[in-house]
Amino acid sequence: MRPIIFSNMDFSHSSLFGYIEDLQELTIIERPVRRSLKTPEEIERLTVDEELSDIERAVYLLSYGQDIQGTSVVANLPVLMRQNPAETLRRVLPKIREVLHVAGVEMQLTAAVSFLTVLQEESVSIHTYSHSFLHIILQNLEHRDAGVSNAWLETLLAVIEALPKETVRHEILNPLVSKAQLSQTLQSRLVSCKIMGKVANKFEAHIIKREVLPLVKSLCQDVEYEVRTCMCRQLEHVARGIGTELTKTVVLPELVELARDEGSSVRLAAFETLVTLLDMFDADDRSQTVLPLVKSFCEKSFKADESILVSLSFHLGKLCNGLYGIFTPEQHLRFLEFYKKLSTLGLQQENGHNDNQLHLQTLEQEKKYISVRKNCAYNFPAMIVFVDPKNFHLELYSIFFCLCHDPEVPVRYTMAISFFEVAKLLNSDVYRIHKELVTLLQDESLEVLDALVGHLPEILELMTNGGENNGSESKLLSIPDLIPALTTAEQRAASSLKWRTHEKLLQKYACLPHIISSDQIYYRFLHRMLTIILTNNVLPVQKAAARTLCVYLRYNRKQEQRHEVIQKLIEQLGQGKSYWNRLRFLDTCEFIMELFSKSFFCKYFFLPVLELTHDPVANVRMKLCCLLPKVKSTLKIPTDKHLLQQLELCIRKLLCQEKDKDVLTIVKRTVLELDRMEISVDAFQKRFYENDLLDQETERQEHLLLEMMYFIKKEKQKNEGRPANINDKMFEKKRRDSKTSSVLTKSINLSISGSSSGTSAGKEEKKSKLVRSQSFSTQVLHPKYSNIDKCPNKSSATGYTSSVPGMGKSCMLSFSDDSFRTHSAGNSGNAAFPSSCSRNLFNSADQKSNGNKESQSRKMSM
């Protein structure tokens, strides 16, 4: 549309009058549109009485309605069959049969789909279906429109599978003899070919030999090449039905003759059928009959018959492995060279042609050559098996390099899909394709990257753990360019509009803790995930980044880095200015509850989550209320009694102070759900047994990661001759403290049974608690949540620890000390300790006097 230039417009009286005439012409143009609306008489003819039943309305519309109304009834036939099958078969189906004789293409296609739907839904028995619907299908099978005929044929082929043998024999096979004669139309004979292939799997071999094979031979020698091509493609089904012996004596000679047919499409169909039937031929047939035919196909494909080139490249892998046992060394080498030639087809510039010839060649053959190279990429894993993976570097690496660097995206896309299969086949030699992995990760097409990412975790695991360099210290040395390639791939996906590829990539990057070191993840990927959560605008991408970030945090081995990330999550997400960030904080907390132990969540994230009950945005409070049942499930009593009190206080405030109706509704529903929940205790219980075991195993792994990193660091410092720093000394004290706690468990059992070792156990507990408080004081958190580590001490200072003189705190240590649970989770004897301890603890508490309680509680407080 040209722009209107006001400077050239004339606003005189005559010009304005001309503009008004133009507007009047526009109104005249619109008048026929208004006249084309339905008149009252037409609306009356289209109106149906609302009191009619569904069956009566369908009969009325088929009898007196317009075509579009009749098509609607036919489309609604499956619904009528479900509601009232008897009346539909008696009244509606005969009307549909009458209408289909004069119906248009749209109603015919709709009827074919509806009949197939009725069969699939099994609204009536197969006997009733064949009696009522089969004749209508056969009548419309030879419709003059090819699309309608194919639609009815697909319905018939599906019906043949469900019909009994006798019905197929009398209703379909016997009339097929006359339909397959040369006197019938081309469409009729094509339909007969397809029915023949379906019927061949329905009967026994002797019936097929007597009644089907004569028709098959006749159609294979038809005068029309379309019929010969169609029948040739059905020979596979015929061969599966008649067995190996008849296939060798009947089907194979027909295929040999069709392979020499004058029609290129017939020869192509014969070649593809030969490849699919290779497993049914013995070694003699393969060497004497099939192999010469294949050799002639390969020779003609580059000369006179290029139509078979694409099909040959697609089936070459299956062909080479199917004929592998009969190849001589020369033939083996020849087929390998033929594959190499196909893999680079169209990439070399031919000399001796002028520019016009090259241009025409490019226009006509470019797509064909791309398809050939794409098929070669598809067959590359099969060719590795053909040459043996040990010979990959000498025989196929150059072709692998060319296909991974092919100028066309479909070829590289296919290589990216098959890359995992190639890596599995190479096994210990997988290190030879490291460079190609980096190349595909940095590919300019996101389609290639998306195809590679599908199996990226498996590929990276094979790359880093397979081959000669399988040590943990040489993981990065095996693929030096891996980390830059991964970061580049993520940045390219982030800058594109294909957010699904970006989401998929972030999900797969969760495998990196098993591939590269914790420091590399921390400096190259972890902060990037946090940036994506804060800046990206696509919710699935943000959630994928949040979960991957939690996985990185889960396997991080340095306590300082962990605390830094936790502090950033609380400050930048949980206390972020944008409510969107606070919502993502709740999503992140949900992932943390899934991946970490209960004690980890309660220690760092429980109170920051509860603070969002005062959030000014209703959506945040609403999401928090939905999350509260999961939050409550992380608590353990009596260790987390103070956190349970905080949770109950927040819920009371929401019930009393909430003004938003939607939030208040969710709060009330959440309160009912929370009341029905049972909180697990520190001691094992039958109903929580499996969950407690999983949680303790998770917690044990968390502490084990930290201990492994500590010992590795200590070993390095010993080798370098450097003294340990303060944090390492504190960690060593904490580790010794965990050993002390395991000794205390034995003394607790003895003291409960009546020994006098309670006082010494209390002193040991005070020492261990002092050491533990000093070690925690070196770990810096946000000042607002610096009291998180002190919470278990406050709970132990309540009535739970002072109930047993001299024993309360030492027993409480076994519940609250993380290091003790780390060692006790793997020991079946220690695993049963908390339940017996807590039971004896409270039983003995009832037997003591009040004076002893008060005196002992004063000693404990001091």
Side-chain angles (χ1 to χ4, degrees):
M1 180 181 293
R2 291 178 297 177
I4 300 175
I5 304 175
F6 291 96
S7 59
N8 296 331
M9 294 182 64
D10 185 9
F11 291 97
S12 61
H13 179 73
S14 59
S15 298
L16 291 175
F17 186 74
Y19 298 148
I20 294 173
E21 289 181 348
D22 294 338
L23 293 175
Q24 289 176 350
E25 291 178 1
L26 291 176
T27 58
I28 294 173
I29 293 174
E30 290 182 354
R31 285 174 188 172
V33 178
R34 295 177 182 175
R35 291 174 182 173
S36 66
L37 298 176
K38 300 296 182 183
T39 61
E41 293 79 8
E42 292 173 334
I43 295 175
E44 183 65 27
R45 287 200 303 269
L46 292 172
T47 304
V48 182
D49 189 2
E50 296 181 357
E51 296 181 357
L52 295 177
S53 64
D54 292 339
I55 301 295
E56 293 173 346
R57 186 183 298 109
V59 173
Y60 177 81
L61 292 176
L62 289 171
S63 303
Y64 306 104
Q66 297 186 4
D67 290 342
I68 189 171
Q69 292 175 316
T71 304
S72 176
V73 172
V74 173
N76 200 43
L77 179 63
V79 179
L80 296 176
M81 288 295 298
R82 289 194 297 268
Q83 294 175 352
N84 195 345
E87 286 297 312
T88 303
L89 293 175
R90 188 176 68 86
R91 300 183 60 186
V92 179
L93 194 61
K95 283 293 181 181
I96 293 178
R97 185 173 185 173
E98 294 176 5
V99 172
L100 286 178
H101 285 292
V102 294
V105 173
E106 186 176 357
M107 185 180 290
Q108 289 276 354
L109 295 175
T110 306
V113 175
S114 295
F115 281 25
L116 181 59
T117 305
V118 172
L119 174 69
Q120 293 172 346
E121 293 181 351
E122 299 179 355
S123 302
V124 293
S125 64
I126 190 63
H127 177 75
T128 305
Y129 187 90
S130 61
H131 178 74
S132 303
F133 291 87
L134 184 59
H135 293 286
I136 303 178
I137 296 173
L138 294 174
Q139 285 178 359
N140 295 277
L141 196 59
E142 298 181 14
H143 196 274
R144 59 182 179 274
D145 186 272
V148 173
S149 178
N150 289 331
W152 284 112
L153 178 61
E154 293 298 325
T155 302
L156 178 62
L157 296 179
V159 171
I160 289 175
E161 293 183 359
L163 290 177
K165 294 181 181 180
E166 292 301 321
T167 304
V168 174
R169 189 171 184 177
H170 292 292
E171 300 292 341
I172 298 174
L173 187 58
N174 291 339
L176 200 62
V177 178
S178 61
K179 298 292 183 181
Q181 302 300 320
L182 289 174
S183 58
Q184 298 293 323
T185 62
L186 175 63
Q187 182 68 22
S188 177
R189 302 204 300 276
L190 290 174
V191 169
S192 300
C193 292
K194 296 180 180 179
I195 295 177
M196 205 76 67
K198 181 64 69 173
V199 168
N201 293 324
K202 196 73 178 178
F203 299 101
E204 291 79 9
H206 67 277
I207 297 178
I208 298 174
K209 181 180 179 180
R210 185 176 65 251
E211 300 185 14
V212 176
L213 285 183
L215 294 177
V216 170
K217 291 182 178 180
S218 174
L219 292 170
C220 285
Q221 298 171 2
D222 197 276
V223 294
E224 298 292 341
Y225 75 93
E226 294 98 330
V227 179
R228 298 197 301 273
T229 302
C230 184
M231 192 63 245
C232 187
R233 296 191 181 278
Q234 300 301 320
L235 286 179
E236 179 189 357
H237 306 291
V238 176
R240 304 291 182 189
I242 62 178
T244 305
E245 294 298 328
L246 287 176
T247 298
K248 181 178 180 179
T249 58
V250 179
V251 176
L252 185 57
E254 293 293 336
L255 281 174
V256 172
E257 185 177 353
L258 292 170
R260 300 188 179 98
D261 196 274
E262 60 183 6
S264 60
S265 62
V266 181
R267 296 195 299 270
L268 179 61
F271 169 75
E272 293 178 349
T273 305
L274 274 173
V275 175
T276 55
L277 291 176
L278 274 178
D279 58 333
M280 298 191 68
F281 302 138
D282 55 21
D284 294 336
D285 293 333
R286 294 180 188 179
S287 59
Q288 298 175 7
T289 306
V290 179
L291 183 58
L293 285 175
V294 173
K295 289 172 62 178
S296 65
F297 280 128
C298 295
E299 293 172 358
K300 292 179 181 179
S301 61
F302 284 103
K303 297 177 181 178
D305 195 4
E306 292 185 350
S307 61
I308 203 173
L309 196 60
V310 177
S311 178
L312 182 60
S313 63
F314 181 76
H315 293 95
L316 190 59
K318 185 176 182 179
L319 194 62
C320 290
N321 287 280
L323 300 175
Y324 181 81
I326 63 172
F327 278 153
T328 63
E330 294 181 359
Q331 292 171 343
H332 187 282
L333 183 60
R334 183 179 300 175
F335 273 87
L336 180 59
E337 292 298 325
F338 181 71
Y339 173 77
K340 292 180 180 180
K341 188 175 182 181
L342 292 179
S343 300
T344 58
L345 186 64
L347 297 181
Q348 299 88 359
Q349 292 292 335
E350 298 184 4
N351 297 325
H353 299 278
N354 55 29
D355 295 338
N356 293 330
Q357 289 176 335
L358 289 175
H359 183 65
L360 290 174
Q361 179 184 357
T362 302
L363 292 177
E364 293 175 359
Q365 297 182 348
E366 184 178 5
K367 291 184 179 180
K368 183 183 296 184
Y369 289 163
I370 293 173
S371 298
V372 169
R373 299 200 303 274
K374 178 183 177 182
N375 291 337
C376 289
Y378 168 77
N379 282 301
F380 195 86
M383 296 308 296
I384 292 180
V385 177
F386 180 64
V387 302
D388 196 310
K390 297 179 180 179
N391 301 323
F392 166 77
H393 188 67
L394 295 176
E395 301 290 348
L396 288 176
Y397 177 74
S398 59
I399 299 301
F400 183 76
F401 178 85
C402 292
L403 291 174
C404 288
H405 291 81
D406 195 275
E408 299 297 330
V409 172
V411 181
R412 303 196 304 274
Y413 175 84
T414 308
M415 285 304 298
I417 291 179
S418 60
F419 198 94
F420 175 53
E421 296 297 328
V422 173
K424 283 197 302 183
L425 290 171
L426 292 181
N427 198 4
S428 60
D429 292 336
V430 71
Y431 64 91
R432 298 186 182 276
I433 58 174
H434 288 173
K435 294 181 180 179
E436 285 68 34
L437 173 63
V438 174
T439 300
L440 293 176
L441 282 172
Q442 296 176 335
D443 196 275
E444 60 183 6
S445 173
L446 281 179
E447 295 178 3
V448 177
L449 179 62
D450 187 80
L452 185 66
V453 164
H455 289 286
L456 185 62
E458 296 87 349
I459 293 172
L460 292 178
E461 185 176 359
L462 287 172
M463 288 289 181
T464 54
N465 297 331
E468 298 176 356
N469 300 326
N470 57 357
S472 59
E473 296 182 356
S474 60
K475 283 186 177 182
L476 293 177
L477 298 178
S478 60
I479 313 178
D481 298 331
L482 175 62
I483 294 178
L486 291 173
T487 54
T488 303
E490 189 277 322
Q491 291 172 0
R492 289 190 61 258
S495 61
S496 69
L497 297 178
K498 297 181 179 180
W499 62 266
R500 288 181 177 86
T501 301
H502 193 200
E503 177 194 12
K504 183 179 179 181
L505 191 70
L506 294 176
Q507 290 172 349
K508 299 298 182 180
Y509 275 15
C511 72
L512 292 183
H514 305 288
I515 309 300
I516 59 179
S517 66
S518 177
D519 284 339
Q520 291 288 345
I521 291 176
Y522 176 76
Y523 291 110
R524 302 299 295 271
F525 296 98
L526 194 147
H527 293 286
R528 174 61 183 166
M529 297 300 159
L530 184 59
T531 303
I532 293 173
I533 300 172
L534 292 170
T535 59
N536 198 280
N537 297 324
V538 182
L539 179 58
V541 173
Q542 287 181 311
K543 287 189 174 182
R547 194 183 192 286
T548 303
L549 172 65
C550 293
V551 173
Y552 293 165
L553 184 63
R554 169 74 172 81
Y555 291 100
N556 190 282
R557 296 181 178 181
K558 293 187 177 181
Q559 195 73 9
E560 299 83 1
Q561 295 177 357
R562 274 192 172 194
H563 282 195
E564 180 187 349
V565 175
I566 293 171
Q567 184 173 348
K568 286 185 177 181
L569 287 175
I570 295 173
E571 289 180 350
Q572 300 181 18
L573 289 181
Q575 301 172 359
K577 295 181 180 179
S578 172
Y579 83 97
W580 191 256
N581 290 339
R582 301 195 293 275
L583 287 174
R584 299 294 73 77
F585 176 71
L586 294 176
D587 291 331
T588 306
C589 289
E590 194 169 359
F591 294 135
I592 288 173
M593 286 185 281
E594 174 189 347
L595 297 170
F596 289 81
S597 62
K598 296 179 180 179
S599 61
F600 181 89
F601 177 80
C602 292
K603 183 177 181 181
Y604 297 109
F605 292 96
F606 193 95
L607 294 179
V609 167
L610 291 187
E611 279 202 356
L612 293 180
T613 54
H614 309 290
D615 197 276
V617 179
N619 285 349
V620 178
R621 302 196 302 273
M622 191 180 303
K623 187 175 182 65
L624 172 63
C625 292
C626 296
L627 193 63
L628 285 180
K630 288 186 178 181
V631 172
K632 184 179 178 181
S633 65
T634 62
L635 297 176
K636 288 184 178 181
I637 297 301
T639 305
D640 301 323
K641 182 183 178 182
H642 67 291
L643 297 179
L644 179 61
Q645 293 174 351
Q646 293 290 333
L647 176 63
E648 293 173 350
L649 179 61
C650 292
I651 294 174
R652 291 194 195 99
K653 289 183 179 179
L654 283 173
L655 286 173
C656 298
Q657 301 176 4
E658 184 58 52
K659 298 179 181 179
D660 190 278
K661 295 181 179 179
D662 297 330
V663 178
L664 189 59
T665 302
I666 294 179
V667 170
K668 293 178 180 178
R669 188 169 66 231
T670 304
V671 168
L672 296 177
E673 186 175 354
L674 291 174
D675 288 340
R676 291 192 296 266
M677 288 182 61
E678 295 184 13
I679 303 178
S680 61
V681 296
D682 288 330
F684 279 114
Q685 293 175 307
K686 289 184 178 180
R687 59 181 180 274
F688 299 120
Y689 184 75
E690 293 183 1
N691 294 333
D692 287 343
L693 284 181
L694 292 174
D695 181 64
Q696 286 203 359
E697 178 62 22
T698 304
E699 190 173 351
R700 186 187 69 82
Q701 293 174 3
E702 292 170 4
H703 288 280
L704 186 60
L705 282 173
L706 295 177
E707 287 195 15
M708 287 173 58
M709 196 60 196
Y710 165 75
F711 284 117
I712 292 173
K713 187 175 180 181
K714 186 176 180 181
E715 188 67 25
K716 288 182 179 180
Q717 291 176 351
K718 184 184 298 183
N719 295 335
E720 296 174 359
R722 292 186 303 173
N725 56 22
I726 299 176
N727 291 333
D728 294 337
K729 293 179 180 178
M730 292 300 177
F731 188 87
E732 178 64 22
K733 291 181 181 180
K734 185 179 179 181
R735 191 176 64 84
R736 289 198 302 267
D737 177 54
S738 65
K739 294 182 179 179
T740 306
S741 63
S742 63
V743 177
L744 288 176
T745 57
K746 300 179 181 179
S747 63
I748 290 172
N749 289 327
L750 294 175
S751 62
I752 292 177
S753 61
S755 66
S756 60
S757 59
T759 307
S760 61
K763 294 179 180 179
E764 290 292 334
E765 194 275 333
K766 291 179 182 179
K767 292 180 181 179
S768 63
K769 196 152 194 174
L770 178 61
V771 174
R772 190 166 64 254
S773 63
Q774 292 174 352
S775 63
F776 279 129
S777 65
T778 61
Q779 301 168 356
V780 181
L781 273 177
H782 189 270
K784 190 170 185 179
Y785 304 104
S786 59
N787 60 345
I788 293 178
D789 296 328
K790 302 177 184 179
C791 294
N793 298 339
K794 292 181 181 179
S795 63
S796 62
T798 59
Y800 286 93
T801 58
S802 60
S803 57
V804 182
M807 288 296 105
K809 283 198 172 185
S810 60
C811 186
M812 195 62 209
L813 174 64
S814 64
F815 297 149
S816 61
D817 193 4
D818 296 338
S819 60
F820 171 74
R821 272 204 298 265
T822 300
H823 296 288
S824 64
N827 192 341
S828 60
N830 292 338
F833 163 71
S835 60
S836 61
C837 176
S838 59
R839 184 169 59 250
N840 295 332
L841 184 149
F842 291 110
N843 290 338
S844 60
D846 296 333
Q847 299 172 3
K848 300 297 180 178
S849 62
N850 294 332
N852 291 337
K853 289 182 182 179
E854 294 174 359
S855 61
Q856 187 63 30
S857 62
R858 285 195 293 271
K859 294 179 181 179
M860 288 297 181
S861 62
M862 293 177 62

